[in-house]
Protein backbone atom coordinates (compact mmCIF):
# COMPACT_ATOMS: atom_id res chain seq x y z
CA UNK A 1 0.00 0.00 0.00
CA UNK A 2 1.30 3.46 -0.88
CA UNK A 3 2.15 6.11 1.70
CA UNK A 4 -0.23 8.50 -0.11
CA UNK A 5 -3.11 6.11 0.52
CA UNK A 6 -2.26 5.94 4.20
CA UNK A 7 -1.96 9.73 4.46
CA UNK A 8 -5.31 10.24 2.76
CA UNK A 9 -7.13 7.71 4.95
CA UNK A 10 -5.65 9.29 8.07
CA UNK A 11 -6.66 12.75 6.84
CA UNK A 12 -10.22 11.62 6.13
CA UNK A 13 -10.56 10.01 9.56
CA UNK A 14 -9.23 13.13 11.29
CA UNK A 15 -12.02 15.17 9.66
CA UNK A 16 -14.82 12.68 10.33
CA UNK A 17 -16.78 15.01 12.58
CA UNK A 18 -16.61 17.83 10.05
CA UNK A 19 -17.66 15.62 7.13
CA UNK A 20 -20.58 14.11 9.05
CA UNK A 21 -21.80 17.58 9.96
CA UNK A 22 -21.32 18.66 6.35
CA UNK A 23 -23.57 15.82 5.22
CA UNK A 24 -26.35 17.07 7.47
CA UNK A 25 -26.02 20.61 6.15
CA UNK A 26 -25.71 19.45 2.56
CA UNK A 27 -29.19 17.94 2.75
CA UNK A 28 -30.57 21.44 3.35
CA UNK A 29 -28.21 23.33 1.04
CA UNK A 30 -28.57 20.71 -1.73
CA UNK A 31 -24.81 20.96 -2.21
CA UNK A 32 -21.71 20.42 -0.09
CA UNK A 33 -20.92 23.30 2.32
CA UNK A 34 -17.96 25.51 1.44
CA UNK A 35 -15.90 24.50 4.46
CA UNK A 36 -16.12 20.82 3.53
CA UNK A 37 -15.13 21.64 -0.06
CA UNK A 38 -12.15 23.57 1.27
CA UNK A 39 -11.08 20.55 3.32
CA UNK A 40 -11.39 18.24 0.31
CA UNK A 41 -9.19 20.67 -1.60
CA UNK A 42 -6.66 20.85 1.23
CA UNK A 43 -6.45 17.04 1.41
CA UNK A 44 -5.99 16.83 -2.37
CA UNK A 45 -8.98 14.54 -2.82
CA UNK A 46 -10.12 16.18 -6.07
CA UNK A 47 -6.90 15.28 -7.92
CA UNK A 48 -6.43 11.57 -7.25
CA UNK A 49 -7.01 10.84 -10.96
CA UNK A 50 -5.17 13.86 -12.36
CA UNK A 51 -1.87 13.12 -14.13
CA UNK A 52 1.19 13.87 -12.03
CA UNK A 53 2.61 16.06 -14.80
CA UNK A 54 -0.36 18.38 -14.30
CA UNK A 55 0.10 18.53 -10.55
CA UNK A 56 -2.12 15.63 -9.54
CA UNK A 57 -1.37 12.74 -7.20
CA UNK A 58 -2.95 9.75 -8.96
CA UNK A 59 -3.72 6.58 -7.05
CA UNK A 60 -4.02 3.06 -8.39
CA UNK A 61 -7.66 2.05 -8.99
CA UNK A 62 -7.96 -0.17 -5.91
CA UNK A 63 -6.33 2.40 -3.63
CA UNK A 64 -8.77 4.98 -4.99
CA UNK A 65 -11.53 2.55 -4.00
CA UNK A 66 -10.12 2.50 -0.47
CA UNK A 67 -10.28 6.29 -0.22
CA UNK A 68 -13.81 6.68 -1.62
CA UNK A 69 -15.13 3.79 0.47
CA UNK A 70 -13.70 5.31 3.65
CA UNK A 71 -15.14 8.72 2.83
CA UNK A 72 -18.56 7.26 1.93
CA UNK A 73 -18.68 5.39 5.24
CA UNK A 74 -18.45 8.79 6.92
CA UNK A 75 -20.72 10.77 4.57
CA UNK A 76 -22.12 10.01 1.14
CA UNK A 77 -22.42 13.60 -0.12
CA UNK A 78 -18.81 14.34 0.75
CA UNK A 79 -17.64 11.16 -0.94
CA UNK A 80 -19.74 11.87 -4.03
CA UNK A 81 -18.19 15.34 -4.35
CA UNK A 82 -14.67 13.93 -4.10
CA UNK A 83 -15.45 11.05 -6.46
CA UNK A 84 -16.97 13.22 -9.21
CA UNK A 85 -14.32 15.90 -8.89
CA UNK A 86 -11.53 13.35 -9.17
CA UNK A 87 -13.14 11.63 -12.14
CA UNK A 88 -13.89 14.79 -14.12
CA UNK A 89 -10.44 16.22 -13.44
CA UNK A 90 -8.97 12.93 -14.62
CA UNK A 91 -10.92 12.92 -17.87
CA UNK A 92 -9.81 16.44 -18.74
CA UNK A 93 -6.27 15.94 -17.50
CA UNK A 94 -5.69 12.63 -19.21
CA UNK A 95 -7.32 13.13 -22.59
CA UNK A 96 -7.33 16.81 -23.57
CA UNK A 97 -4.63 17.99 -26.00
CA UNK A 98 -1.57 19.58 -24.44
CA UNK A 99 -2.64 23.19 -25.00
CA UNK A 100 -6.08 22.54 -23.51
CA UNK A 101 -4.76 20.67 -20.49
CA UNK A 102 -2.27 23.42 -19.73
CA UNK A 103 -4.97 26.06 -20.12
CA UNK A 104 -7.04 24.36 -17.42
CA UNK A 105 -4.38 23.01 -15.07
CA UNK A 106 -1.65 25.59 -15.55
CA UNK A 107 2.01 25.40 -16.62
CA UNK A 108 4.27 22.44 -15.89
CA UNK A 109 5.39 22.17 -12.26
CA UNK A 110 9.11 22.83 -12.63
CA UNK A 111 11.72 24.02 -10.13
CA UNK A 112 9.39 23.47 -7.22
CA UNK A 113 10.80 23.65 -3.73
CA UNK A 114 10.48 20.37 -1.82
CA UNK A 115 7.01 20.15 -0.37
CA UNK A 116 5.91 23.41 -1.97
CA UNK A 117 4.10 24.50 -5.14
CA UNK A 118 5.96 25.33 -8.29
CA UNK A 119 6.63 29.04 -8.80
CA UNK A 120 3.74 30.63 -10.65
CA UNK A 121 1.45 27.58 -10.50
CA UNK A 122 -2.10 28.52 -9.65
CA UNK A 123 -4.29 26.30 -7.45
CA UNK A 124 -5.54 23.22 -9.26
CA UNK A 125 -9.10 23.49 -10.61
CA UNK A 126 -12.15 21.37 -9.92
CA UNK A 127 -14.25 20.12 -12.84
CA UNK A 128 -17.84 18.91 -12.92
CA UNK A 129 -20.16 17.65 -15.62
CA UNK A 130 -21.17 14.48 -17.41
CA UNK A 131 -20.45 12.60 -20.64
CA UNK A 132 -23.95 11.88 -21.98
CA UNK A 133 -24.22 13.64 -25.38
CA UNK A 134 -27.03 16.03 -24.50
CA UNK A 135 -26.05 18.78 -26.93
CA UNK A 136 -24.75 19.58 -30.39
CA UNK A 137 -21.46 20.90 -31.64
CA UNK A 138 -21.41 22.71 -34.97
CA UNK A 139 -17.92 22.83 -36.52
CA UNK A 140 -16.47 26.35 -36.57
CA UNK A 141 -13.05 27.73 -37.41
CA UNK A 142 -10.71 26.32 -34.77
CA UNK A 143 -13.36 24.49 -32.79
CA UNK A 144 -17.10 24.09 -32.27
CA UNK A 145 -20.18 26.15 -31.46
CA UNK A 146 -21.83 24.14 -28.70
CA UNK A 147 -25.51 24.17 -27.77
CA UNK A 148 -27.34 22.02 -25.25
CA UNK A 149 -28.24 21.25 -21.69
CA UNK A 150 -26.46 18.74 -19.49
CA UNK A 151 -27.91 17.38 -16.27
CA UNK A 152 -26.60 15.65 -13.16
CA UNK A 153 -23.47 17.85 -13.00
CA UNK A 154 -22.54 16.91 -9.45
CA UNK A 155 -20.33 19.44 -7.69
CA UNK A 156 -21.06 22.21 -10.19
CA UNK A 157 -21.55 24.76 -7.42
CA UNK A 158 -17.91 24.52 -6.35
CA UNK A 159 -16.47 23.71 -9.81
CA UNK A 160 -14.25 25.98 -11.90
CA UNK A 161 -14.67 24.21 -15.25
CA UNK A 162 -17.35 21.99 -16.78
CA UNK A 163 -17.22 19.01 -19.12
CA UNK A 164 -19.94 17.71 -21.40
CA UNK A 165 -20.30 15.80 -24.65
CA UNK A 166 -22.07 15.88 -27.99
CA UNK A 167 -22.38 13.52 -30.93
CA UNK A 168 -19.82 13.99 -33.65
CA UNK A 169 -21.26 14.80 -37.05
CA UNK A 170 -22.15 11.80 -39.18
CA UNK A 171 -21.92 9.41 -36.24
CA UNK A 172 -23.27 5.90 -36.59
CA UNK A 173 -25.53 5.72 -33.55
CA UNK A 174 -25.74 1.94 -33.88
CA UNK A 175 -22.15 1.68 -32.79
CA UNK A 176 -20.87 4.07 -30.26
CA UNK A 177 -17.94 5.34 -28.33
CA UNK A 178 -16.86 2.60 -25.97
CA UNK A 179 -20.12 0.75 -26.49
CA UNK A 180 -22.29 3.62 -25.28
CA UNK A 181 -24.64 3.32 -28.25
CA UNK A 182 -24.46 7.07 -28.76
CA UNK A 183 -22.13 6.96 -31.77
CA UNK A 184 -18.91 8.96 -31.97
CA UNK A 185 -18.80 11.48 -29.16
CA UNK A 186 -16.80 14.64 -28.61
CA UNK A 187 -16.01 15.58 -25.01
CA UNK A 188 -15.48 19.28 -24.33
CA UNK A 189 -14.48 21.53 -21.44
CA UNK A 190 -15.59 25.11 -20.80
CA UNK A 191 -15.09 27.59 -17.97
CA UNK A 192 -18.12 27.53 -15.69
CA UNK A 193 -18.43 31.29 -16.15
CA UNK A 194 -19.41 30.69 -19.80
CA UNK A 195 -22.34 28.40 -18.92
CA UNK A 196 -25.75 29.01 -17.44
CA UNK A 197 -26.09 27.00 -14.23
CA UNK A 198 -29.69 25.90 -13.66
CA UNK A 199 -30.72 25.40 -10.03
CA UNK A 200 -33.05 22.44 -10.45
CA UNK A 201 -31.66 19.88 -7.98
CA UNK A 202 -34.78 19.00 -5.96
CA UNK A 203 -34.61 15.24 -5.53
CA UNK A 204 -35.29 12.36 -3.16
CA UNK A 205 -31.75 10.95 -2.97
CA UNK A 206 -28.20 12.30 -3.07
CA UNK A 207 -29.73 15.64 -2.14
CA UNK A 208 -26.44 17.06 -0.93
CA UNK A 209 -24.45 16.50 -4.13
CA UNK A 210 -25.35 19.72 -5.95
CA UNK A 211 -26.05 17.88 -9.20
CA UNK A 212 -27.51 20.85 -11.07
CA UNK A 213 -27.94 21.24 -14.84
CA UNK A 214 -25.96 23.62 -17.05
CA UNK A 215 -26.63 24.89 -20.54
CA UNK A 216 -24.66 26.44 -23.40
CA UNK A 217 -26.15 28.53 -26.21
CA UNK A 218 -23.73 28.70 -29.11
CA UNK A 219 -20.63 28.87 -26.92
CA UNK A 220 -17.39 28.63 -28.90
CA UNK A 221 -15.19 25.79 -27.66
CA UNK A 222 -11.69 25.67 -29.19
CA UNK A 223 -10.49 22.31 -30.49
CA UNK A 224 -7.76 22.24 -27.83
CA UNK A 225 -10.52 21.85 -25.22
CA UNK A 226 -12.06 18.79 -26.92
CA UNK A 227 -11.27 15.15 -27.55
CA UNK A 228 -13.04 12.13 -28.98
CA UNK A 229 -14.30 9.68 -26.39
CA UNK A 230 -12.53 6.36 -26.84
CA UNK A 231 -9.27 7.83 -28.07
CA UNK A 232 -6.06 6.90 -26.22
CA UNK A 233 -5.09 9.12 -23.31
CA UNK A 234 -2.52 11.81 -24.06
CA UNK A 235 -0.71 11.58 -20.74
CA UNK A 236 -0.85 10.05 -17.28
CA UNK A 237 0.80 6.63 -17.61
CA UNK A 238 -0.61 3.31 -16.44
CA UNK A 239 -3.81 4.62 -14.84
CA UNK A 240 -4.88 6.27 -18.07
CA UNK A 241 -4.07 3.23 -20.16
CA UNK A 242 -7.16 1.68 -18.56
CA UNK A 243 -9.28 3.56 -21.08
CA UNK A 244 -13.03 3.83 -20.85
CA UNK A 245 -15.11 2.61 -19.14
CA UNK A 246 -12.61 1.06 -16.73
CA UNK A 247 -11.13 4.46 -15.87
CA UNK A 248 -14.37 5.58 -14.19
CA UNK A 249 -15.54 2.18 -12.94
CA UNK A 250 -13.89 2.53 -9.53
CA UNK A 251 -16.08 5.44 -8.50
CA UNK A 252 -19.72 4.63 -7.65
CA UNK A 253 -19.08 1.00 -6.54
CA UNK A 254 -16.74 1.81 -3.62
CA UNK A 255 -19.04 4.66 -2.63
CA UNK A 256 -21.96 2.23 -2.44
CA UNK A 257 -19.83 -0.25 -0.49
CA UNK A 258 -18.89 2.38 2.08
CA UNK A 259 -22.50 3.50 2.37
CA UNK A 260 -23.71 -0.09 2.84
CA UNK A 261 -21.09 -0.79 5.51
CA UNK A 262 -22.26 2.27 7.42
CA UNK A 263 -25.89 1.17 7.06
CA UNK A 264 -25.02 -2.24 8.52
CA UNK A 265 -23.35 -0.59 11.51
CA UNK A 266 -26.18 1.92 11.99
CA UNK A 267 -28.95 -0.69 11.88
CA UNK A 268 -26.97 -2.89 14.28
CA UNK A 269 -26.86 -0.02 16.75
CA UNK A 270 -30.52 0.84 16.20
CA UNK A 271 -31.62 -2.79 16.61
CA UNK A 272 -30.20 -2.93 20.13
CA UNK A 273 -32.69 -0.24 21.23
CA UNK A 274 -35.71 -1.04 19.05
CA UNK A 275 -38.60 -3.40 19.71
CA UNK A 276 -41.42 -3.77 17.20
CA UNK A 277 -43.97 -4.05 20.03
CA UNK A 278 -43.94 -2.65 23.60
CA UNK A 279 -42.51 -5.24 25.96
CA UNK A 280 -41.32 -7.45 23.12
CA UNK A 281 -37.75 -8.48 22.36
CA UNK A 282 -35.43 -5.96 20.78
CA UNK A 283 -34.73 -6.44 17.10
CA UNK A 284 -31.16 -7.43 17.98
CA UNK A 285 -32.55 -10.42 19.93
CA UNK A 286 -34.54 -11.82 17.03
CA UNK A 287 -33.21 -14.72 14.97
CA UNK A 288 -34.59 -13.29 11.73
CA UNK A 289 -32.46 -10.18 12.21
CA UNK A 290 -29.40 -12.28 13.01
CA UNK A 291 -29.91 -14.12 9.73
CA UNK A 292 -30.44 -10.98 7.67
CA UNK A 293 -27.53 -9.12 9.25
CA UNK A 294 -25.10 -12.00 8.68
CA UNK A 295 -26.30 -12.36 5.11
CA UNK A 296 -25.93 -8.61 4.52
CA UNK A 297 -22.35 -8.63 5.73
CA UNK A 298 -21.25 -11.42 3.41
CA UNK A 299 -23.15 -9.96 0.43
CA UNK A 300 -21.35 -6.62 0.76
CA UNK A 301 -18.00 -8.34 1.18
CA UNK A 302 -18.65 -10.47 -1.91
CA UNK A 303 -19.68 -7.45 -3.98
CA UNK A 304 -16.57 -5.60 -2.83
CA UNK A 305 -14.34 -8.55 -3.71
CA UNK A 306 -15.72 -9.17 -7.21
CA UNK A 307 -15.46 -5.49 -8.11
CA UNK A 308 -11.93 -5.08 -6.80
CA UNK A 309 -10.80 -8.30 -8.48
CA UNK A 310 -12.01 -6.97 -11.84
CA UNK A 311 -10.41 -3.56 -11.30
CA UNK A 312 -7.10 -5.12 -10.24
CA UNK A 313 -7.01 -7.36 -13.32
CA UNK A 314 -7.71 -4.45 -15.68
CA UNK A 315 -5.03 -2.34 -14.03
CA UNK A 316 -2.51 -5.18 -14.18
CA UNK A 317 -2.91 -5.17 -17.96
CA UNK A 318 -2.51 -1.41 -18.09
CA UNK A 319 0.59 -1.53 -15.89
CA UNK A 320 2.06 -4.16 -18.22
CA UNK A 321 1.68 -1.72 -21.11
CA UNK A 322 -1.52 -3.03 -22.71
CA UNK A 323 -5.05 -1.67 -22.68
CA UNK A 324 -7.50 -3.98 -20.88
CA UNK A 325 -9.11 -6.53 -23.14
CA UNK A 326 -12.79 -6.47 -24.02
CA UNK A 327 -13.34 -9.30 -21.58
CA UNK A 328 -11.64 -7.33 -18.80
CA UNK A 329 -13.67 -4.20 -19.55
CA UNK A 330 -16.87 -6.22 -19.42
CA UNK A 331 -15.78 -7.80 -16.16
CA UNK A 332 -15.30 -4.33 -14.69
CA UNK A 333 -18.64 -2.94 -15.88
CA UNK A 334 -20.67 -5.95 -14.77
CA UNK A 335 -18.90 -6.08 -11.42
CA UNK A 336 -19.70 -2.39 -10.99
CA UNK A 337 -23.40 -2.92 -11.60
CA UNK A 338 -23.43 -5.98 -9.35
CA UNK A 339 -21.67 -4.18 -6.50
CA UNK A 340 -24.02 -1.21 -6.47
CA UNK A 341 -27.23 -3.21 -6.95
CA UNK A 342 -26.16 -5.58 -4.17
CA UNK A 343 -25.57 -2.66 -1.82
CA UNK A 344 -28.95 -1.19 -2.74
CA UNK A 345 -30.64 -4.50 -2.01
CA UNK A 346 -28.81 -4.90 1.30
CA UNK A 347 -29.74 -1.44 2.57
CA UNK A 348 -33.34 -1.91 1.47
CA UNK A 349 -33.57 -5.30 3.20
CA UNK A 350 -32.11 -3.92 6.43
CA UNK A 351 -34.24 -0.79 6.43
CA UNK A 352 -37.40 -2.66 7.37
CA UNK A 353 -35.89 -3.69 10.70
CA UNK A 354 -35.79 -0.04 11.74
CA UNK A 355 -39.56 0.10 12.04
CA UNK A 356 -41.46 3.37 11.79
CA UNK A 357 -38.74 5.39 13.51
CA UNK A 358 -36.43 4.77 10.53
CA UNK A 359 -38.69 7.08 8.51
CA UNK A 360 -37.69 10.11 10.58
CA UNK A 361 -35.41 12.55 8.78
CA UNK A 362 -33.18 12.46 11.85
CA UNK A 363 -32.62 8.71 11.39
CA UNK A 364 -29.58 7.82 9.26
CA UNK A 365 -31.22 4.74 7.74
CA UNK A 366 -33.68 6.75 5.65
CA UNK A 367 -30.80 8.76 4.16
CA UNK A 368 -28.78 5.61 3.45
CA UNK A 369 -31.76 4.12 1.62
CA UNK A 370 -32.47 7.26 -0.41
CA UNK A 371 -28.84 7.72 -1.33
CA UNK A 372 -28.11 4.15 -2.38
CA UNK A 373 -31.25 3.96 -4.49
CA UNK A 374 -30.27 7.22 -6.20
CA UNK A 375 -26.72 5.96 -6.78
CA UNK A 376 -28.17 2.84 -8.39
CA UNK A 377 -29.70 5.07 -11.09
CA UNK A 378 -26.30 6.28 -12.32
CA UNK A 379 -26.02 6.09 -16.11
CA UNK A 380 -22.90 3.90 -15.90
CA UNK A 381 -24.79 1.22 -13.99
CA UNK A 382 -27.30 0.19 -16.64
CA UNK A 383 -28.23 -3.48 -16.88
CA UNK A 384 -27.22 -3.17 -20.52
CA UNK A 385 -23.75 -3.98 -19.19
CA UNK A 386 -25.02 -7.45 -18.29
CA UNK A 387 -26.50 -7.76 -21.78
CA UNK A 388 -23.16 -6.88 -23.38
CA UNK A 389 -21.38 -9.44 -21.20
CA UNK A 390 -23.94 -12.09 -22.11
CA UNK A 391 -23.52 -11.39 -25.83
CA UNK A 392 -19.76 -11.66 -25.43
CA UNK A 393 -20.08 -15.06 -23.73
CA UNK A 394 -22.38 -16.35 -26.48
CA UNK A 395 -20.11 -15.08 -29.24
CA UNK A 396 -17.07 -16.56 -27.53
CA UNK A 397 -18.80 -19.92 -27.23
CA UNK A 398 -19.72 -19.85 -30.94
CA UNK A 399 -16.17 -18.97 -31.90
CA UNK A 400 -14.76 -21.81 -29.84
CA UNK A 401 -17.02 -24.29 -31.63
CA UNK A 402 -16.15 -23.11 -35.12
Amino acid sequence: MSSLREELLAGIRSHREQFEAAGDRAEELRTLPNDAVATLRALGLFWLKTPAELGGTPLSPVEFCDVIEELAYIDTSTAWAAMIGAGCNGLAGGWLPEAGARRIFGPPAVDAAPGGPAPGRRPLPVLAGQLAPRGTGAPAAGGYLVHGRWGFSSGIVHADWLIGAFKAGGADVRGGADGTGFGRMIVFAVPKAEAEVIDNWHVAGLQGTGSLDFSLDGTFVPAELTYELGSPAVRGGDLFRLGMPAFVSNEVPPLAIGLARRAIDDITELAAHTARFPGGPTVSERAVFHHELGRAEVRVRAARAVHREAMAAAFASAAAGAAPTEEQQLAVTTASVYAVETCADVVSDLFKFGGGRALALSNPMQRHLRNVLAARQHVALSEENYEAAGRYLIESAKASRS
Side-chain angles (χ1 to χ4, degrees):
M1 296 297 179
S2 69
S3 59
L4 175 60
R5 170 192 177 275
E6 299 305 316
E7 291 170 10
L8 291 169
L9 293 178
I12 289 168
R13 290 163 187 158
S14 71
H15 288 88
R16 174 170 177 164
E17 185 175 338
Q18 180 194 14
F19 289 147
E20 288 182 334
D24 293 336
R25 292 160 57 204
E27 291 282 300
E28 301 175 3
L29 297 172
R30 295 179 293 113
T31 190
L32 203 63
N34 290 334
D35 62 323
V37 173
T39 300
L40 292 178
R41 285 181 178 270
L43 291 173
L45 291 168
F46 288 124
W47 305 289
L48 301 181
K49 288 189 168 187
T50 300
E53 51 262 58
L54 296 179
T57 50
L59 284 175
S60 71
V62 172
E63 289 189 329
F64 184 79
C65 286
D66 290 339
V67 170
I68 297 302
E69 182 180 325
E70 185 69 24
L71 199 51
Y73 180 90
I74 294 172
D75 177 62
T76 303
S77 294
T78 306
W80 195 274
M83 173 196 80
I84 294 295
C88 290
N89 282 327
L91 293 172
W95 275 269
L96 283 177
E98 189 68 15
R102 295 303 176 185
R103 180 173 170 182
I104 293 175
F105 292 94
V110 295
D111 300 325
R121 176 177 281 282
R122 62 179 181 266
L124 288 173
V126 175
L127 280 79
Q130 59 137 296
L131 297 186
R134 303 299 185 188
T136 62
Y144 300 88
L145 296 176
V146 181
H147 299 256
R149 177 167 171 166
W150 291 263
F152 304 105
S153 301
S154 302
I156 193 171
V157 176
H158 57 258
D160 307 296
W161 286 74
L162 306 176
I163 62 170
F166 56 84
K167 294 179 186 177
D172 177 4
V173 298
R174 295 171 298 175
D178 300 303
T180 62
F182 289 124
R184 289 180 55 241
M185 289 168 52
I186 301 297
V187 180
F188 66 87
V190 295
K192 187 175 74 171
E194 296 183 9
E196 178 188 1
V197 177
I198 302 163
D199 187 2
N200 63 334
W201 190 241
H202 300 277
V203 291
L206 297 175
Q207 289 179 324
T209 62
S211 304
L212 285 62
D213 288 12
F214 74 90
S215 66
L216 300 174
D217 186 12
T219 302
F220 175 72
V221 179
E224 68 189 35
L225 290 176
T226 68
Y227 69 89
E228 183 171 337
L229 187 65
S231 60
V234 176
R235 64 189 66 78
D238 296 343
L239 178 61
F240 294 82
R241 202 174 292 117
L242 280 171
M244 296 287 283
F247 182 77
V248 297
S249 292
N250 63 337
E251 296 176 4
V252 182
L255 180 138
I257 296 291
L259 185 163
R261 287 179 43 228
R262 181 61 180 268
I264 289 172
D265 288 351
D266 284 346
I267 196 65
T268 301
E269 175 65 23
L270 179 64
H273 307 95
T274 298
R276 296 307 298 270
F277 302 100
T282 63
V283 173
S284 64
E285 296 173 307
R286 297 175 60 198
V288 66
F289 179 69
H290 300 163
H291 172 274
E292 199 62 44
L293 188 65
R295 183 167 175 262
E297 175 70 17
V298 76
R299 290 170 75 191
V300 171
R301 289 173 57 196
R304 185 179 192 267
V306 73
H307 174 258
R308 285 168 175 248
E309 177 185 64
M311 287 303 315
F315 187 60
S317 291
T325 64
E326 180 183 6
E327 184 175 356
Q328 288 175 322
Q329 291 281 8
L330 288 169
V332 165
T333 56
T334 51
S336 297
V337 178
Y338 178 76
V340 178
E341 71 180 8
T342 298
C343 290
D345 290 345
V346 163
V347 177
S348 181
D349 290 343
L350 292 176
F351 179 80
K352 64 180 180 286
F353 290 99
R357 69 189 64 194
L359 298 172
L361 293 179
S362 60
N363 190 290
M365 288 304 298
Q366 55 78 28
R367 189 185 301 176
H368 297 327
L369 181 62
R370 290 187 292 107
N371 285 341
V372 78
L373 291 177
R376 178 65 184 87
Q377 302 301 108
H378 193 281
V379 65
L381 301 171
S382 169
E383 269 125 358
E384 290 173 323
N385 291 301
Y386 286 143
E387 296 172 16
R391 285 194 299 271
Y392 178 83
L393 290 173
I394 291 172
E395 290 164 4
S396 298
K398 288 179 180 178
S400 67
R401 292 194 297 266
S402 62

